[in-house]
CSV table of all heavy atoms in Angstrom, one decimal:
chain,number,residue,atom,x,y,z
A,225,ASP,N,0.9,-1.2,0.0
A,225,ASP,CA,0.0,0.0,0.0
A,225,ASP,C,0.9,1.2,0.0
A,225,ASP,O,1.7,1.4,0.9
A,225,ASP,CB,-0.9,0.0,1.2
A,225,ASP,CG,-1.9,-1.2,1.2
A,225,ASP,OD1,-2.3,-1.5,0.1
A,225,ASP,OD2,-2.2,-1.7,2.3
A,226,VAL,N,0.7,2.1,-1.0
A,226,VAL,CA,1.5,3.3,-1.1
A,226,VAL,C,0.7,4.5,-0.6
A,226,VAL,O,-0.3,4.8,-1.2
A,226,VAL,CB,2.0,3.5,-2.6
A,226,VAL,CG1,2.8,4.8,-2.7
A,226,VAL,CG2,2.7,2.3,-3.1
A,227,PHE,N,1.2,5.1,0.4
A,227,PHE,CA,0.5,6.2,1.0
A,227,PHE,C,1.3,7.5,0.7
A,227,PHE,O,2.5,7.5,0.6
A,227,PHE,CB,0.4,6.1,2.6
A,227,PHE,CG,-0.4,4.9,3.0
A,227,PHE,CD1,0.2,3.7,3.3
A,227,PHE,CD2,-1.8,4.9,3.0
A,227,PHE,CE1,-0.6,2.6,3.7
A,227,PHE,CE2,-2.6,3.9,3.4
A,227,PHE,CZ,-2.0,2.7,3.7
A,228,ALA,N,0.5,8.6,0.6
A,228,ALA,CA,1.1,9.9,0.3
A,228,ALA,C,2.0,10.4,1.4
A,228,ALA,O,1.6,10.5,2.6
A,228,ALA,CB,0.0,10.9,0.1
A,229,PRO,N,3.2,10.8,1.2
A,229,PRO,CA,4.1,11.2,2.2
A,229,PRO,C,3.9,12.7,2.6
A,229,PRO,O,4.4,13.2,3.6
A,229,PRO,CB,5.5,11.0,1.6
A,229,PRO,CG,5.3,11.2,0.1
A,229,PRO,CD,3.9,10.6,-0.1
A,230,TYR,N,3.2,13.4,1.7
A,230,TYR,CA,2.9,14.8,2.0
A,230,TYR,C,1.7,15.3,1.2
A,230,TYR,O,1.2,14.5,0.3
A,230,TYR,CB,4.1,15.7,1.7
A,230,TYR,CG,4.8,15.3,0.4
A,230,TYR,CD1,4.2,15.6,-0.9
A,230,TYR,CD2,6.0,14.7,0.4
A,230,TYR,CE1,4.9,15.3,-2.1
A,230,TYR,CE2,6.7,14.3,-0.8
A,230,TYR,CZ,6.1,14.6,-2.0
A,230,TYR,OH,6.7,14.2,-3.2
A,231,ASP,N,1.2,16.5,1.4
A,231,ASP,CA,0.1,17.0,0.6
A,231,ASP,C,0.6,17.3,-0.8
A,231,ASP,O,1.8,17.9,-0.9
A,231,ASP,CB,-0.4,18.3,1.2
A,231,ASP,CG,-1.1,18.0,2.6
A,231,ASP,OD1,-1.3,16.9,2.9
A,231,ASP,OD2,-1.4,19.0,3.3
A,232,GLY,N,-0.1,17.0,-1.8
A,232,GLY,CA,0.3,17.3,-3.1
A,232,GLY,C,-0.7,16.9,-4.2
A,232,GLY,O,-1.9,16.7,-3.9
A,233,ARG,N,-0.2,16.7,-5.4
A,233,ARG,CA,-1.0,16.3,-6.5
A,233,ARG,C,-0.3,15.3,-7.4
A,233,ARG,O,1.0,15.2,-7.3
A,233,ARG,CB,-1.3,17.6,-7.4
A,233,ARG,CG,-2.1,18.6,-6.7
A,233,ARG,CD,-2.4,19.9,-7.5
A,233,ARG,NE,-3.3,19.6,-8.7
A,233,ARG,CZ,-3.6,20.5,-9.5
A,233,ARG,NH1,-3.2,21.8,-9.4
A,233,ARG,NH2,-4.4,20.2,-10.5
A,234,VAL,N,-1.0,14.5,-8.1
A,234,VAL,CA,-0.5,13.5,-9.0
A,234,VAL,C,0.0,14.2,-10.3
A,234,VAL,O,-0.9,14.8,-11.0
A,234,VAL,CB,-1.5,12.4,-9.3
A,234,VAL,CG1,-0.9,11.4,-10.3
A,234,VAL,CG2,-1.9,11.7,-8.0
A,235,ALA,N,1.2,14.2,-10.6
A,235,ALA,CA,1.8,14.8,-11.8
A,235,ALA,C,1.8,13.8,-13.0
A,235,ALA,O,1.6,14.3,-14.2
A,235,ALA,CB,3.2,15.3,-11.6
A,236,GLU,N,2.0,12.5,-12.8
A,236,GLU,CA,2.0,11.6,-13.9
A,236,GLU,C,1.6,10.2,-13.3
A,236,GLU,O,2.1,9.8,-12.3
A,236,GLU,CB,3.4,11.5,-14.5
A,236,GLU,CG,3.6,10.6,-15.7
A,236,GLU,CD,4.9,10.7,-16.3
A,236,GLU,OE1,5.8,11.5,-15.8
A,236,GLU,OE2,5.2,9.9,-17.2
A,237,LEU,N,0.8,9.5,-14.1
A,237,LEU,CA,0.4,8.1,-13.7
A,237,LEU,C,0.4,7.3,-15.0
A,237,LEU,O,-0.3,7.6,-16.0
A,237,LEU,CB,-1.0,8.1,-13.2
A,237,LEU,CG,-1.6,6.8,-12.8
A,237,LEU,CD1,-0.8,6.2,-11.6
A,237,LEU,CD2,-3.1,6.9,-12.4
A,238,THR,N,1.3,6.2,-15.0
A,238,THR,CA,1.5,5.4,-16.2
A,238,THR,C,1.1,4.0,-16.0
A,238,THR,O,1.6,3.1,-16.7
A,238,THR,CB,3.0,5.5,-16.6
A,238,THR,OG1,3.8,4.9,-15.5
A,238,THR,CG2,3.5,6.9,-16.8
A,239,ILE,N,0.2,3.7,-15.1
A,239,ILE,CA,-0.3,2.4,-14.9
A,239,ILE,C,-1.8,2.4,-14.6
A,239,ILE,O,-2.4,3.4,-14.2
A,239,ILE,CB,0.4,1.7,-13.7
A,239,ILE,CG1,0.2,0.2,-13.8
A,239,ILE,CG2,0.0,2.3,-12.4
A,239,ILE,CD1,1.1,-0.5,-12.8
A,240,ASN,N,-2.5,1.3,-14.9
A,240,ASN,CA,-3.9,1.2,-14.7
A,240,ASN,C,-4.2,0.0,-13.8
A,240,ASN,O,-3.3,-0.8,-13.5
A,240,ASN,CB,-4.6,0.9,-16.1
A,240,ASN,CG,-4.5,2.1,-17.0
A,240,ASN,OD1,-4.7,3.2,-16.7
A,240,ASN,ND2,-4.1,1.8,-18.3
A,241,GLN,N,-5.4,0.0,-13.3
A,241,GLN,CA,-5.8,-1.0,-12.4
A,241,GLN,C,-5.7,-2.4,-13.1
A,241,GLN,O,-6.0,-2.5,-14.3
A,241,GLN,CB,-7.3,-0.8,-11.9
A,241,GLN,CG,-7.7,-1.7,-10.7
A,241,GLN,CD,-9.1,-1.3,-10.2
A,241,GLN,OE1,-9.8,-0.5,-10.9
A,241,GLN,NE2,-9.5,-1.8,-9.1
A,242,TYR,N,-5.3,-3.4,-12.3
A,242,TYR,CA,-5.1,-4.8,-12.7
A,242,TYR,C,-3.8,-5.0,-13.6
A,242,TYR,O,-3.5,-6.1,-13.9
A,242,TYR,CB,-6.3,-5.3,-13.6
A,242,TYR,CG,-7.6,-5.2,-12.8
A,242,TYR,CD1,-8.6,-4.4,-13.4
A,242,TYR,CD2,-7.8,-5.8,-11.6
A,242,TYR,CE1,-9.8,-4.2,-12.7
A,242,TYR,CE2,-9.0,-5.6,-10.9
A,242,TYR,CZ,-10.0,-4.9,-11.5
A,242,TYR,OH,-11.2,-4.7,-10.8
A,243,GLU,N,-3.1,-3.9,-13.8
A,243,GLU,CA,-1.8,-4.1,-14.5
A,243,GLU,C,-0.7,-4.3,-13.5
A,243,GLU,O,-0.8,-3.9,-12.3
A,243,GLU,CB,-1.5,-2.8,-15.3
A,243,GLU,CG,-2.4,-2.6,-16.5
A,243,GLU,CD,-2.0,-1.4,-17.3
A,243,GLU,OE1,-1.2,-0.6,-16.8
A,243,GLU,OE2,-2.5,-1.3,-18.5
A,244,GLN,N,0.4,-4.8,-13.9
A,244,GLN,CA,1.6,-5.1,-13.1
A,244,GLN,C,2.7,-4.2,-13.6
A,244,GLN,O,3.1,-4.2,-14.7
A,244,GLN,CB,2.0,-6.5,-13.2
A,244,GLN,CG,3.3,-6.9,-12.3
A,244,GLN,CD,3.6,-8.3,-12.3
A,244,GLN,OE1,2.7,-9.2,-12.1
A,244,GLN,NE2,4.9,-8.7,-12.6
A,245,PRO,N,3.2,-3.3,-12.7
A,245,PRO,CA,4.2,-2.3,-13.1
A,245,PRO,C,5.6,-3.0,-13.4
A,245,PRO,O,5.9,-4.1,-12.8
A,245,PRO,CB,4.4,-1.4,-12.0
A,245,PRO,CG,3.9,-2.2,-10.8
A,245,PRO,CD,2.8,-3.1,-11.3
A,246,GLN,N,6.4,-2.4,-14.2
A,246,GLN,CA,7.7,-3.0,-14.5
A,246,GLN,C,8.6,-2.7,-13.2
A,246,GLN,O,8.5,-1.7,-12.6
A,246,GLN,CB,8.3,-2.3,-15.7
A,246,GLN,CG,7.6,-2.6,-17.0
A,246,GLN,CD,8.3,-2.0,-18.2
A,246,GLN,OE1,9.5,-1.7,-18.2
A,246,GLN,NE2,7.5,-1.7,-19.2
A,247,LEU,N,9.5,-3.6,-13.0
A,247,LEU,CA,10.3,-3.5,-11.8
A,247,LEU,C,11.2,-2.3,-11.9
A,247,LEU,O,11.9,-2.1,-12.9
A,247,LEU,CB,11.1,-4.8,-11.6
A,247,LEU,CG,10.4,-6.1,-11.4
A,247,LEU,CD1,11.4,-7.3,-11.2
A,247,LEU,CD2,9.5,-6.0,-10.2
A,248,ASN,N,11.2,-1.6,-10.8
A,248,ASN,CA,12.1,-0.4,-10.6
A,248,ASN,C,11.9,0.7,-11.7
A,248,ASN,O,12.8,1.5,-11.9
A,248,ASN,CB,13.6,-0.8,-10.6
A,248,ASN,CG,13.9,-1.8,-9.4
A,248,ASN,OD1,13.4,-1.6,-8.3
A,248,ASN,ND2,14.7,-2.8,-9.7
A,249,LYS,N,10.8,0.7,-12.3
A,249,LYS,CA,10.5,1.7,-13.3
A,249,LYS,C,9.4,2.6,-12.7
A,249,LYS,O,8.3,2.1,-12.4
A,249,LYS,CB,10.0,1.1,-14.6
A,249,LYS,CG,9.8,2.2,-15.7
A,249,LYS,CD,9.4,1.6,-17.0
A,249,LYS,CE,9.1,2.7,-18.1
A,249,LYS,NZ,8.8,2.1,-19.4
A,250,PRO,N,9.6,3.9,-12.7
A,250,PRO,CA,8.5,4.8,-12.1
A,250,PRO,C,7.2,4.7,-12.8
A,250,PRO,O,7.1,4.7,-14.0
A,250,PRO,CB,9.1,6.2,-12.2
A,250,PRO,CG,10.6,6.0,-12.3
A,250,PRO,CD,10.8,4.7,-13.1
A,251,PHE,N,6.1,4.5,-11.9
A,251,PHE,CA,4.8,4.4,-12.5
A,251,PHE,C,3.9,5.6,-12.0
A,251,PHE,O,2.8,5.7,-12.4
A,251,PHE,CB,4.1,3.1,-12.1
A,251,PHE,CG,4.0,2.9,-10.6
A,251,PHE,CD1,2.9,3.3,-9.9
A,251,PHE,CD2,5.0,2.2,-9.9
A,251,PHE,CE1,2.7,3.1,-8.6
A,251,PHE,CE2,4.9,2.0,-8.5
A,251,PHE,CZ,3.8,2.5,-7.9
A,252,LEU,N,4.4,6.3,-11.0
A,252,LEU,CA,3.7,7.4,-10.4
A,252,LEU,C,4.6,8.5,-10.0
A,252,LEU,O,5.6,8.3,-9.3
A,252,LEU,CB,2.9,6.9,-9.2
A,252,LEU,CG,2.1,7.9,-8.4
A,252,LEU,CD1,0.9,8.4,-9.2
A,252,LEU,CD2,1.5,7.3,-7.1
A,253,VAL,N,4.3,9.8,-10.4
A,253,VAL,CA,5.1,10.9,-10.1
A,253,VAL,C,4.2,11.9,-9.3
A,253,VAL,O,3.1,12.2,-9.8
A,253,VAL,CB,5.6,11.6,-11.3
A,253,VAL,CG1,6.4,12.9,-10.9
A,253,VAL,CG2,6.6,10.7,-12.1
A,254,ILE,N,4.6,12.3,-8.1
A,254,ILE,CA,3.8,13.2,-7.3
A,254,ILE,C,4.6,14.4,-7.0
A,254,ILE,O,5.9,14.4,-6.9
A,254,ILE,CB,3.3,12.5,-6.0
A,254,ILE,CG1,4.5,12.0,-5.2
A,254,ILE,CG2,2.4,11.4,-6.3
A,254,ILE,CD1,4.2,11.5,-3.8
A,255,VAL,N,3.9,15.6,-6.8
A,255,VAL,CA,4.6,16.8,-6.5
A,255,VAL,C,3.9,17.5,-5.3
A,255,VAL,O,2.6,17.4,-5.2
A,255,VAL,CB,4.7,17.8,-7.7
A,255,VAL,CG1,5.6,17.3,-8.7
A,255,VAL,CG2,3.3,18.0,-8.2
A,256,GLY,N,4.6,18.0,-4.4
A,256,GLY,CA,4.0,18.8,-3.3
A,256,GLY,C,3.6,20.1,-3.7
A,256,GLY,O,4.1,20.7,-4.6
A,257,GLN,N,2.6,20.7,-3.0
A,257,GLN,CA,2.1,22.0,-3.3
A,257,GLN,C,2.4,23.0,-2.2
A,257,GLN,O,2.2,24.2,-2.5
A,257,GLN,CB,0.6,21.9,-3.4
A,257,GLN,CG,0.1,21.0,-4.6
A,257,GLN,CD,0.5,21.5,-5.9
A,257,GLN,OE1,0.1,22.6,-6.3
A,257,GLN,NE2,1.2,20.7,-6.7
A,258,SER,N,2.9,22.6,-1.1
A,258,SER,CA,3.0,23.5,0.0
A,258,SER,C,4.4,24.2,0.0
A,258,SER,O,4.6,25.3,0.5
A,258,SER,CB,2.8,22.8,1.3
A,258,SER,OG,3.6,21.7,1.5
A,259,ARG,N,5.4,23.5,-0.5
A,259,ARG,CA,6.8,24.0,-0.4
A,259,ARG,C,7.3,24.2,-1.8
A,259,ARG,O,7.6,23.3,-2.5
A,259,ARG,CB,7.7,23.1,0.4
A,259,ARG,CG,7.3,22.9,1.8
A,259,ARG,CD,8.4,22.4,2.6
A,259,ARG,NE,8.9,21.1,2.2
A,259,ARG,CZ,10.0,20.5,2.6
A,259,ARG,NH1,10.8,21.2,3.5
A,259,ARG,NH2,10.4,19.3,2.2
A,260,LEU,N,7.3,25.5,-2.3
A,260,LEU,CA,7.7,25.8,-3.6
A,260,LEU,C,9.0,26.7,-3.5
A,260,LEU,O,9.1,27.5,-2.6
A,260,LEU,CB,6.6,26.6,-4.4
A,260,LEU,CG,5.3,25.8,-4.6
A,260,LEU,CD1,4.3,26.7,-5.2
A,260,LEU,CD2,5.5,24.5,-5.4
A,261,GLU,N,9.8,26.6,-4.5
A,261,GLU,CA,11.0,27.4,-4.6
A,261,GLU,C,11.1,28.1,-6.0
A,261,GLU,O,10.5,27.6,-7.0
A,261,GLU,CB,12.3,26.6,-4.4
A,261,GLU,CG,12.5,26.1,-3.0
A,261,GLU,CD,13.8,25.4,-2.9
A,261,GLU,OE1,14.4,24.9,-3.9
A,261,GLU,OE2,14.3,25.3,-1.7
A,262,ILE,N,11.8,29.2,-6.1
A,262,ILE,CA,12.0,29.9,-7.3
A,262,ILE,C,13.5,29.9,-7.7
A,262,ILE,O,14.3,30.2,-6.9
A,262,ILE,CB,11.6,31.4,-7.2
A,262,ILE,CG1,10.1,31.5,-6.7
A,262,ILE,CG2,11.7,32.1,-8.5
A,262,ILE,CD1,9.8,32.9,-6.3
A,263,GLU,N,13.8,29.4,-8.9
A,263,GLU,CA,15.1,29.3,-9.4
A,263,GLU,C,15.3,30.4,-10.4
A,263,GLU,O,14.6,30.4,-11.4
A,263,GLU,CB,15.4,27.9,-10.0
A,263,GLU,CG,15.5,26.8,-9.0
A,263,GLU,CD,15.9,25.5,-9.6
A,263,GLU,OE1,16.2,25.5,-10.8
A,263,GLU,OE2,15.8,24.5,-9.0
A,264,VAL,N,16.3,31.3,-10.2
A,264,VAL,CA,16.6,32.3,-11.1
A,264,VAL,C,18.1,32.3,-11.4
A,264,VAL,O,18.9,31.9,-10.5
A,264,VAL,CB,16.2,33.7,-10.6
A,264,VAL,CG1,14.7,33.8,-10.5
A,264,VAL,CG2,16.8,34.0,-9.3
């Protein structure tokens, strides 16, 4: 069971229900919304 480590949003999801993800290949990308930085 994968639980959210912080408040955020789903940026990318590459798997569907009943599918088996490839080993060690990212299937879910999440980004936090509360801590943002500006790079200049």
Side-chain angles (χ1 to χ4, degrees):
D225 296 325
V226 180
F227 297 98
Y230 42 73
D231 295 349
R233 298 176 68 177
V234 176
E236 185 177 353
L237 179 66
T238 60
I239 197 171
N240 296 311
Q241 192 174 10
Y242 306 119
E243 291 182 345
Q244 180 175 311
Q246 298 184 24
L247 297 181
N248 300 318
K249 183 178 180 179
F251 62 89
L252 178 66
V253 178
I254 59 176
V255 292
Q257 298 294 304
S258 58
R259 299 200 298 171
L260 300 176
E261 290 185 337
I262 307 169
E263 292 185 6
V264 295

